[in-house]
Amino acid sequence: MEWVRGDTIGFGSFGTVNLVLPKTGFSKSPLMAVKSCEITDSVSLKNEKEVLDRIGSCPQIIRCLGDDYTVEKGGKLYNLFLEYADKGNLADQVKKSGGNLMESDVRRYARLILKGLSFVHSNGFVHCDIKLQNILLFGNGDVKIADFGLAKRNGEKGGEEQRRVEIRGTPLNIAPESINENVYDSAVDIWALGCAIVEMFTGKPAWNFKPGTNLAALLIKIGVSDELPGIPQVLSEEGQDFLGKCFVKDPKKRWTAEMLLDHPFVAGDDEFVSLTRCEAEEESTSPRCSFEEFSASPRCAFEFPDWVSTQSTASSQSSSVPSFSISSPWDRIRKLACDEAADWTISESWITLR
Ligand SMILES: Nc1ncnc2c1ncn2[C@@H]1O[C@H](COP(=O)(O)OP(=O)(O)OP(=O)(O)O)[C@@H](O)[C@H]1O
């Protein structure tokens, strides 16, 4: 397939995301996104493709449209094609909405994310990296879970052997059992969903970690202490009860996605969330090519005729999944919090372990 690499629309620890544009001018062809990384660092992206291919189609899961390789700026890149989410990610949406969302919107997003998680879990997989940046939004109101680079089979332990641990996901949303026992069952996604709901509602991460404070102490708090993330008291009783079912330290007692879908907090229909103030202003002032001018998304990358690959203007970012030898939760926490063991990148209260 020939295609043109368009503007960069996202950066992640495993790659750069660009628009995929038609070769010749404006076209009624649908837009795609392409996630690219150097071939030597493509384990995560290839895992993402494999998982998306295996779990199949669901309205709340981003669709994979194929893959290919290109040579750009002398380097060989692996490219994963995805349907393009024209409204960006939910973290940005929260910011655009003034820093937090109304409870009615939080309920709707929670319901749709749960539907996606229920589908992923029923197909035997765990996402392992649920956070607002990985929830993508569409102009037609669709909400889809993306970034399956860290996804794994339910119950699969991190690493090649039990003594090795891979820290997958964002530490602030990491479940206690992942810190303590390197466990990544479907319950970890429910814990992370709870953290994401707190963040949607308050605009702040569920665990308050300030740069310069003690990361080991936070990991001990999450993994070993009895302390739970703070449940916003201004949330409705239903919302507080829902979060109480997500924030159960014992993963066996935590509610499943299936159970939570019956919770009154997420009852209701999936009607489209109203535009934020900023979006409404933007809609009325800025002329832009409307998504309606494009036809439906293609089912695979090869449905794009007459496209040509050009050099990327964006540099690829990549990293390998870290792994450490561990012997106990304390050992694991010490290694997680130790600068020598990992590169903790702190940005806007988020920590990414590379
Ligand atoms: N299909 C898409 N359509 C529109 N934007 C996208 C798409 N995929 C990714 N993005 C944007 O790029 C950002 C990074 O993408 P993604 O999280 O998939 O990359 P990653 O390298 O796996 O990141 P992470 O550091 O979370 O592992 C997203 O938060 C989103 O803003």
Side-chain angles (χ1 to χ4, degrees):
M1 184 190 73
E2 293 184 315
W3 51 278
V4 173
R5 188 180 297 278
D7 287 347
T8 301
I9 50 173
F11 291 101
S13 44
F14 294 109
T16 306
V17 186
N18 291 83
L19 278 179
V20 173
L21 299 173
K23 179 185 169 192
T24 45
F26 190 79
S27 139
K28 283 198 179 293
S29 302
L31 290 173
M32 284 197 298
V34 60
K35 202 167 157 183
S36 306
C37 69
E38 296 208 1
I39 199 163
T40 45
D41 295 315
S42 59
V43 176
S44 165
L45 264 193
K46 286 180 175 166
N47 180 60
E48 180 160 5
K49 177 168 190 321
E50 197 182 323
V51 174
L52 286 171
D53 285 349
R54 277 177 192 269
I55 59 176
S57 168
C58 165
Q60 286 81 35
I61 304 295
I62 199 82
R63 272 193 304 145
C64 173
L65 304 168
D67 62 348
D68 79 359
Y69 296 89
T70 48
V71 176
E72 299 177 34
K73 292 185 177 167
K76 196 164 184 197
L77 301 185
Y78 175 70
N79 304 300
L80 180 66
F81 299 102
L82 301 162
E83 62 179 321
Y84 170 57
D86 57 326
K87 290 287 177 186
N89 70 53
L90 186 48
D92 291 339
Q93 176 74 6
V94 171
K95 281 187 206 141
K96 276 193 220 161
S97 305
N100 61 348
L101 298 180
M102 290 182 306
E103 181 166 335
S104 55
D105 290 347
V106 176
R107 286 174 184 250
R108 177 177 180 272
Y109 285 124
R111 177 167 58 252
L112 293 170
I113 299 167
L114 262 181
K115 283 186 179 181
L117 283 181
S118 171
F119 182 81
V120 172
H121 297 169
S122 65
N123 279 284
F125 284 92
V126 185
H127 183 278
C128 295
D129 198 12
I130 291 295
K131 58 184 180 185
L132 300 187
Q133 288 82 350
N134 288 340
I135 307 300
L136 300 185
L137 311 179
F138 292 72
N140 66 0
D142 281 353
V143 174
K144 305 197 183 199
I145 302 174
D147 192 2
F148 283 75
L150 295 176
K152 56 196 306 196
R153 287 213 169 268
N154 194 17
E156 194 186 322
K157 278 265 180 189
E160 305 140 20
E161 46 179 302
Q162 301 249 323
R163 284 183 63 253
R164 288 169 69 80
V165 62
E166 291 176 344
I167 294 304
R168 307 166 77 99
T170 305
L172 289 181
N173 287 4
I174 193 170
E177 65 272 22
S178 304
I179 294 174
N180 295 336
E181 296 156 66
N182 191 25
V183 164
Y184 290 90
D185 287 343
S186 51
V188 306
D189 287 341
I190 301 300
W191 179 279
L193 170 67
C195 295
I197 289 173
V198 171
E199 194 175 349
M200 274 188 254
F201 195 68
T202 65
K204 296 192 179 111
W207 294 105
N208 193 11
F209 179 77
K210 295 194 181 79
T213 54
N214 190 335
L215 181 59
L218 174 66
L219 292 171
I220 290 167
K221 203 193 277 185
I222 300 172
V224 185
S225 82
D226 289 334
E227 202 174 321
L228 294 168
I231 295 179
Q233 294 305 300
V234 279
L235 198 55
S236 65
E237 256 181 55
E238 287 172 349
Q240 293 188 34
D241 186 74
F242 183 96
L243 286 178
K245 312 294 188 217
C246 299
F247 296 142
V248 177
K249 287 250 167 177
D250 181 350
K252 293 194 186 71
K253 295 187 180 144
R254 205 172 297 151
W255 280 29
T256 63
E258 206 56 34
M259 291 159 79
L260 286 168
L261 277 171
D262 287 333
H263 193 283
F265 181 63
V266 292
D269 58 35
D270 298 339
E271 103 199 31
F272 190 7
V273 178
S274 55
L275 291 178
T276 63
R277 274 189 314 281
C278 302
E279 273 184 320
E281 281 163 21
E282 193 188 323
E283 288 280 328
S284 62
T285 54
S286 61
R288 58 180 147 143
C289 93
S290 82
F291 195 69
E292 288 70 50
E293 291 186 72
F294 295 94
S295 59
S297 293
R299 279 182 302 282
C300 78
F302 301 99
E303 289 183 12
F304 287 79
D306 198 26
W307 296 34
V308 65
S309 168
T310 59
Q311 285 229 329
S312 169
T313 50
S315 62
S316 291
Q317 293 192 339
S318 60
S319 77
S320 54
V321 176
S323 62
F324 313 109
S325 293
I326 51 98
S327 54
S328 70
W330 300 103
D331 215 9
R332 189 178 289 110
I333 288 167
R334 185 174 51 74
K335 287 203 156 74
L336 283 172
C338 171
D339 279 342
E340 285 82 38
D343 165 19
W344 293 92
T345 301
I346 301 169
S347 132
E348 295 177 25
S349 313
W350 285 92
I351 311 168
T352 305
L353 181 64
R354 295 175 199 281

